[in-house]
Amino acid sequence: MDSHCGRENIRMKVLHLSSERTWRGGEQQIAYLIEELEKYGVENYVACRKNSAFEAYCQDKGIPYFSFSFHFQYDLLAGIEIKKICKEFGINIVHLHSSFSHGIGYVSALTGNKTPMILSRRVDFPVKKNLITQLKYNHNSIKKILCVSKSIENMVRPAIKNPERCQTIYSGIDLSRFENIQSTGFLRNTYSLAKDTLLVGNISAIAPHKDYFTFVDTAEILINNNPTIYFFIIGDGPSKQDIIKYILKKGLEKKIFLTGFRKDAPELLAELDIFLITSATEGLGTTILDAFATGTPVVATRGGGITETVLHEQTGLLAEVGDSRELAANINRLIQDNTLQLSLISNARQKVLDFSKEKTAQKTLEAYNTVIKRKSRLD
């Protein structure tokens, strides 16, 4: 373990466990949470993976952190070190931000760490039924399970002996990033597209649960009937090569472009005419919230928590998971009905106000205080 931290006396001290190597939506949520908790006087510490994107973030922002190799999910040495950190720095809450982090926290509790733990659950699939998973979810060290959507909470509750531990706290976005946002014309300029072309795209990791195969199938239907429409997959991920092969197989490489990972998401969203998300499962889908804030109309699947933000014919248009024909029909509706577009955009701008990073942090802090007060009563 490498330690990079000083000590101060502040009322509440929270240790965040961030186990991932790369930076995706979950890491952005941790960053937002830390940023907002600091405004409430919370002292934040981070235990993260060595040489990870979050370690670099902590270095850049001056956040006290401890770096670990995290060799495997139930790493005994890491668990012992987490216990030591909690004791030495007087940590009040350990916040576990992923399944891997949950495993480390569970081991730490088994080694005698008495610090209350809170788990964030962001993934949209049921809790596994194997013995270890059941034990770690029901261990008495886990005082609350914060789910990023009602859909996830409904999946988690059946596996929890005390389901009242579960609570939905929606992920939030930085609404200030989207104030007066304007397109830079990057996509049209880079790919030599005329101004009157129609751009449809998604910004997300290229991962299996995002179901980019359905995205390509939807694009194919629309391209066959509209020569001025182009599609963009903005992001990177483990399924990238499979999607490239699928695009080539269909001969759509001049109509569907992969930009790779980009940091200018607001500007790119502002350039898209329609945001298309075809996920098979989704915790909440914060990029949808970004599209709402940008004023880009949304066409989506009914995957997981998506239906808690995209309300059909109110804030967007919905189709069944995997139904490329229905998705294509919804896009055609938006192309042909400007009044519908404007209505969806207006309603979505209002809806997204309920999903700010400030509200997420406020509700998370309330959860922390509930756990700490409960512990005080027991002590």
Side-chain angles (χ1 to χ4, degrees), residues 17-21 47-49 68-75 78 96-107 119-121 123 136-137:
L17 264 63
S18 171
S19 59
E20 304 306 300
R21 290 185 175 86
C48 57
R49 190 181 290 272
F68 293 85
S69 297
F70 286 145
H71 294 296
F72 47 91
Q73 186 175 359
Y74 300 101
D75 190 327
L96 312 169
H97 287 279
S98 68
S99 176
F100 195 104
S101 298
H102 188 186
I104 299 294
Y106 175 56
V107 170
L119 170 66
S120 280
R121 175 83 176 181
V123 291
K136 76 173 183 177
Y137 268 88

Side-chain angles (χ1 to χ4, degrees), residues 31 41 45 95 101 130 162 202 242 292 305:
Y45 297 78
H95 194 152
S101 298
N130 66 71
N162 298 313
N202 187 12
D242 292 334
F292 282 2

Side-chain angles (χ1 to χ4, degrees), residues 107-128:
V107 170
S108 186
L110 292 179
T111 65
N113 189 354
K114 302 296 184 185
T115 310
M117 297 185 186
I118 287 180
L119 170 66
S120 280
R121 175 83 176 181
R122 296 187 171 92
V123 291
D124 177 33
F125 51 80
V127 175
K128 293 177 182 177

Side-chain angles (χ1 to χ4, degrees), residues 61-312:
K61 299 295 183 181
I63 298 168
Y65 75 93
F66 310 87
S67 58
F68 293 85
S69 297
F70 286 145
H71 294 296
F72 47 91
Q73 186 175 359
Y74 300 101
D75 190 327
L76 178 60
L77 293 178
I80 292 170
E81 289 298 330
I82 294 298
K83 181 180 75 168
K84 289 180 180 177
I85 291 167
C86 289
K87 184 175 182 180
E88 180 178 353
F89 292 92
I91 301 298
N92 304 111
I93 294 279
V94 177
H95 194 152
L96 312 169
H97 287 279
S98 68
S99 176
F100 195 104
S101 298
H102 188 186
I104 299 294
Y106 175 56
V107 170
S108 186
L110 292 179
T111 65
N113 189 354
K114 302 296 184 185
T115 310
M117 297 185 186
I118 287 180
L119 170 66
S120 280
R121 175 83 176 181
R122 296 187 171 92
V123 291
D124 177 33
F125 51 80
V127 175
K128 293 177 182 177
K129 295 183 179 181
N130 66 71
L131 179 60
I132 293 178
T133 300
Q134 291 294 315
L135 287 172
K136 76 173 183 177
Y137 268 88
N138 287 288
H139 195 269
N140 59 15
S141 62
I142 304 295
K143 305 304 180 184
K144 276 189 176 293
I145 301 174
L146 307 182
C147 305
V148 301
S149 65
K150 287 288 183 184
S151 173
I152 290 178
E153 181 178 344
N154 291 337
M155 283 187 172
V156 172
R157 275 182 167 268
I160 308 302
K161 292 177 181 176
N162 298 313
E164 66 275 7
R165 291 182 184 178
C166 297
Q167 177 183 351
T168 294
I169 297 180
Y170 289 114
S171 296
I173 64 170
D174 182 0
L175 292 173
S176 67
R177 290 179 68 206
F178 302 90
E179 292 174 0
N180 305 313
I181 200 72
Q182 292 184 338
S183 165
T184 60
F186 170 83
L187 297 175
R188 285 185 172 85
N189 292 334
T190 303
Y191 296 91
S192 302
L193 303 177
K195 288 184 178 179
D196 63 348
T197 51
L198 190 73
L199 306 189
V200 179
N202 187 12
I203 302 176
S204 72
I206 308 175
H209 71 282
K210 298 293 183 179
D211 189 13
Y212 270 109
F213 292 103
T214 294
F215 183 97
V216 174
D217 290 341
T218 304
E220 183 180 32
I221 294 168
L222 290 157
I223 289 165
N224 287 337
N225 298 305
N226 188 341
T228 64
I229 193 167
Y230 292 85
F231 289 80
F232 286 88
I233 296 172
I234 302 164
D236 206 343
S239 298
K240 181 178 180 178
Q241 292 306 316
D242 292 334
I243 297 303
I244 289 173
K245 289 177 183 176
Y246 196 58
I247 292 169
L248 292 171
K249 179 183 176 182
K250 289 179 173 287
L252 298 174
E253 63 273 13
K254 293 182 179 179
K255 287 288 188 175
I256 305 176
F257 303 110
L258 285 80
T259 68
F261 177 76
R262 300 283 307 177
K263 291 185 177 180
D264 52 349
E267 290 79 12
L268 296 182
L269 278 169
E271 190 174 358
L272 294 177
D273 295 290
I274 296 171
F275 180 79
L276 170 64
I277 180 168
T278 56
S279 299
T281 64
E282 195 72 57
L284 183 66
T286 52
T287 317
I288 292 172
L289 302 176
D290 292 346
F292 282 2
T294 310
T296 304
V298 174
V299 172
T301 53
R302 292 183 173 89
I306 289 176
T307 56
E308 294 172 50
T309 57
V310 183
L311 309 179
H312 187 55

